[in-house]
Amino acid sequence: MAHEISFIFNGNAMKMNIEDHWTLLHLIREELGYTGTKEGCGSGECGACTVIVDDKAVNSCLYLAAEIDGKQLTTIEGLAAADGTLHPIQKSFVEKGGIQCGFCSPGMILSAKALLDKTPNASEIDIKEAIAGNLCRCTGYVQIIDSIKAVSGYGEDEPHVVAFKTDEGERGE
Amino acid sequence: MRQFTYLTPKTLDEAISLHVAHGESARYVAGGTDVLVKIKEGKFAPDYLISLKHIIGQDRPFLNQETGELYIGAFCTHGSIEQSPLVQHHYPIIHDAVKNIGSVQIRNVATIGGNLVNAVPSADGAIPLIVLDSKANIYGTKGQRSVDLQRFFLGPGQCDLEAGEILTEIVIPPPLPRTGSAYIKHGRREAMELPMLGVGVLLCLEEDMTTCAKARICLGVAAPTPFRALAAEKYLKGKTVDENNLTEAGRLAGQESKVRDSIRGVAWYRREMVGVLVKRMGLKALERAKERHK
Ligand SMILES: Cc1cc2nc3c(=O)[nH]c(=O)nc-3n(C[C@H](O)[C@H](O)[C@H](O)COP(=O)(O)OP(=O)(O)OC[C@H]3O[C@@H](n4cnc5c(N)ncnc54)[C@H](O)[C@@H]3O)c2cc1C
Ligand code: FES
Ligand code: FES
């Protein structure tokens, strides 16, 4: 069944007709044509489809489009300024090698944004928890964590937290 | 995805009458992290999805001032429970469990009610609530009823809900004095994995702060439904809570559990780990009881 919803998409008020069974991911990619949001697993495991709904990171593959009625939706396209200037988190990913193939990057960056908007000085543990639902097949995560640390008020000099050993000095430099 | 009609009732009664009207072609959905996956996999094929998320109330933990009981609405997300100061302060064992369910993205939408109704042997949410002697409030065409949460689970994927009934809230008794409890989800990696084993322990101490007045030990993935290790609980009662006695309680719990081989772990290993983790959670519960008593 179709019905009308209204929501704020990357800062712009929108009204549109949707089908009840559409996922938010379908709405964003297939209907709105914004392909920055990726589909990996389609079942909540990989985080490639992560978007922000009202300040919260969610998997758009498991979220019904009908549910964003009256809410604010942010996708990766909503981060850079109108003149193309990158958001500080995006810039940091570019500078620190947090991006290789780039498939996980939109989801990673939005998970990081949701975290830092709420906890501006997130620690490495906070960062690891925030991206636990985002898989990356390329970087090995260290550069991604570094990219996020560099924009967290906690400071990028915090030594790496290595759960299974304690020789933090070397990697913390 | 398969086509369906999405209904968003605002009251429990409205939700129930929609369910009655559409019968077998309808299914409730809360966070949808289970339902939508199953629709995509073709395991569920509803024509109507009735959302419980738009029902007012039942979406936040709150304290009943008169009775001191904590009410956790079934439509609370794991995230809202994780962040609740009430839960963090008075029932850290619940926090132990919900903070490790899925990922931030999953916890932002998945609900405790959905977790319990799923009734999978690995449901992380159930064990701490059983350890705390919680009750489940259920609402349906015949009105409201309440069951001990422990008796809510009938088999894998089966719970004590009749067609159309809704789990509305979990009611947790006020915290006992001189009591601590703790839960651990044991798996091969820390994030994004269903537990290979879940172990929850509650210890209530006598005034001497060393003798066990009451013990609760509940295991997840150790039987078809959440499993109370009654022999181990009985063993601890009246004994000094120390490493030796907790080791023996752990051994008994491992022995009475119904662990089996599965893709996530083999039975002998699970049995060994029940022993290790019952002791570890017992010591943590003891520490928490002492902290609270200070
Ligand atoms: C990637 C991923 C990771 C996960 N990790 C974990 C984990 O670590 N631990 C864990 O325990 N689970 C995990 N799960 C399973 C699942 O997400 C949780 O069990 C979750 O709590 C289900 O809640 P929901 O609100 O999304 O349920 P839904 O999908 O909305 O509903 C689940 C079932 O319950 C019924 N239902 C829901 N609420 C009610 C109610 N109040 N009354 C009556 N019926 C109701 C629905 O009809 C449906 O049959 C994971 C799932 C995914 C996709
Ligand atoms: S595509 Fe949504 S989590 Fe993988
Ligand atoms: S950069 Fe390739 S998946 Fe992360």
Side-chain angles (χ1 to χ4, degrees):
Chain A
M1 212 170 69
H3 71 272
E4 193 184 62
I5 59 168
S6 28
F7 58 103
I8 307 216
F9 179 56
N10 292 333
N12 302 310
M14 304 262 299
K15 239 188 212 329
M16 69 184 287
N17 273 312
I18 61 149
E19 291 284 339
D20 286 6
H21 64 280
W22 286 355
T23 61
L24 183 54
L25 179 65
H26 174 94
L27 173 80
I28 294 167
R29 285 184 63 92
E30 312 299 331
E31 307 297 329
L32 297 172
Y34 284 79
T35 54
T37 309
K38 305 299 180 199
E39 173 160 26
C41 62
S43 57
E45 306 277 348
C46 76
C49 65
T50 303
V51 298
I52 300 179
V53 175
D54 281 355
D55 309 328
K56 290 200 163 75
V58 304
N59 295 316
S60 61
C61 69
L62 291 186
Y63 199 95
L64 288 179
E67 281 293 325
I68 59 157
D69 190 25
K71 300 201 172 99
Q72 288 207 29
L73 169 65
T74 306
T75 67
I76 193 70
E77 290 86 352
L79 260 61
D83 67 358
T85 308
L86 294 182
H87 183 281
I89 303 176
Q90 290 176 305
K91 202 158 155 266
S92 186
F93 268 67
V94 173
E95 282 168 2
K96 301 255 169 212
I99 297 183
Q100 286 187 22
C101 81
F103 194 82
C104 71
S105 310
M108 282 287 182
I109 289 169
L110 288 167
S111 284
K113 182 173 190 297
L115 169 71
L116 294 178
D117 285 351
K118 198 167 139 248
T119 316
N121 46 5
S123 68
E124 182 166 323
I125 299 270
D126 297 331
I127 294 170
K128 285 182 172 172
E129 277 174 8
I131 61 166
N134 294 80
L135 297 186
C136 175
R137 295 292 286 180
C138 306
T139 64
Y141 301 99
V142 174
Q143 295 95 319
I144 290 177
I145 292 163
D146 285 346
S147 308
I148 304 171
K149 270 170 100 170
V151 278
S152 156
Y154 203 91
E156 61 186 300
D157 294 333
E158 182 199 5
H160 280 282
V161 185
V162 184
F164 43 87
K165 55 176 185 184
T166 47
D167 61 330
E168 291 167 351
E170 204 187 336
R171 306 186 71 198
E173 270 158 28
Chain B
M1 203 166 29
R2 177 197 159 83
Q3 292 206 14
F4 50 76
T5 300
Y6 189 60
L7 304 167
T8 53
K10 302 285 183 293
T11 64
L12 289 171
D13 287 321
E14 205 186 318
I16 288 162
S17 35
L18 285 169
H19 203 286
V20 170
H22 296 298
E24 299 227 316
S25 62
R27 179 169 282 278
Y28 290 130
V29 62
T33 60
D34 183 64
V35 169
L36 294 181
V37 171
K38 289 197 173 135
I39 292 176
K40 287 184 182 196
E41 287 171 348
K43 288 183 188 153
F44 286 168
D47 294 323
Y48 297 89
L49 271 191
I50 305 170
S51 172
L52 302 174
K53 286 214 299 196
H54 298 259
I55 295 171
I56 322 281
Q58 264 105 19
D59 64 344
R60 204 102 316 156
F62 71 92
L63 207 62
N64 181 326
Q65 299 289 356
E66 270 168 42
T67 60
E69 294 162 319
L70 180 73
Y71 280 62
I72 299 185
F75 318 139
C76 285
T77 61
H78 298 305
S80 68
I81 299 172
E82 180 188 0
Q83 278 147 31
S84 156
L86 272 173
V87 170
Q88 288 172 7
H89 251 84
H90 299 296
Y91 303 95
I93 186 174
I94 301 177
H95 187 256
D96 291 345
V98 292
K99 74 166 194 270
N100 283 319
I101 292 182
S103 58
V104 172
Q105 293 96 314
I106 295 288
R107 295 197 292 280
N108 277 340
V109 295
T111 64
I112 187 70
N115 192 270
L116 298 174
V117 173
N118 262 342
V120 293
S122 59
D124 273 313
I127 309 299
L129 296 172
I130 292 176
V131 161
L132 293 166
D133 290 338
S134 309
K135 288 191 182 332
N137 282 353
I138 295 162
Y139 190 74
T141 43
K142 292 178 210 146
Q144 190 182 316
R145 65 191 178 97
S146 175
V147 292
D148 282 345
L149 186 61
Q150 203 203 328
R151 299 175 52 187
F152 181 69
F153 301 99
L154 304 178
Q158 271 182 298
C159 64
D160 178 13
L161 279 187
E162 286 179 26
E165 277 190 323
I166 297 175
L167 173 65
T168 54
E169 65 225 336
I170 315 302
V171 184
I172 307 165
L176 296 166
R178 304 180 298 278
T179 298
S181 55
Y183 174 79
I184 186 166
K185 163 183 183 169
H186 179 63
R188 278 187 307 180
R189 60 197 299 275
E190 262 187 68
M192 291 301 278
E193 199 182 41
L194 292 174
M196 180 194 299
L197 199 62
V199 175
V201 175
L202 173 141
L203 296 173
C204 172
L205 303 172
E206 300 285 4
E207 272 171 33
D208 65 5
M209 289 306 286
T210 53
T211 311
C212 174
K214 167 181 163 177
R216 285 281 179 276
I217 301 175
C218 189
L219 310 174
V221 217
T225 54
F227 182 82
R228 277 271 300 280
L230 296 172
E233 290 179 2
K234 200 166 148 218
Y235 171 82
L236 278 177
K237 194 169 173 192
K239 295 220 172 46
T240 306
V241 179
D242 60 17
E243 277 210 45
N244 281 343
N245 285 331
L246 285 171
T247 304
E248 178 58 13
R251 196 188 62 79
L252 289 170
Q255 218 170 42
E256 63 187 309
S257 75
K258 302 191 167 60
V259 289
R260 37 170 222 139
D261 296 336
S262 86
I263 190 161
R264 269 190 285 276
V266 287
W268 70 262
Y269 175 74
R270 283 204 169 102
R271 202 181 300 282
E272 287 285 304
M273 287 314 290
V274 169
V276 173
L277 296 173
V278 163
K279 175 174 132 196
R280 227 177 260 171
M281 289 306 101
L283 290 172
K284 196 164 171 185
L286 178 66
E287 197 182 303
R288 283 181 174 169
K290 287 183 174 163
E291 252 167 51
R292 281 185 68 83
H293 192 63
K294 261 186 213 155

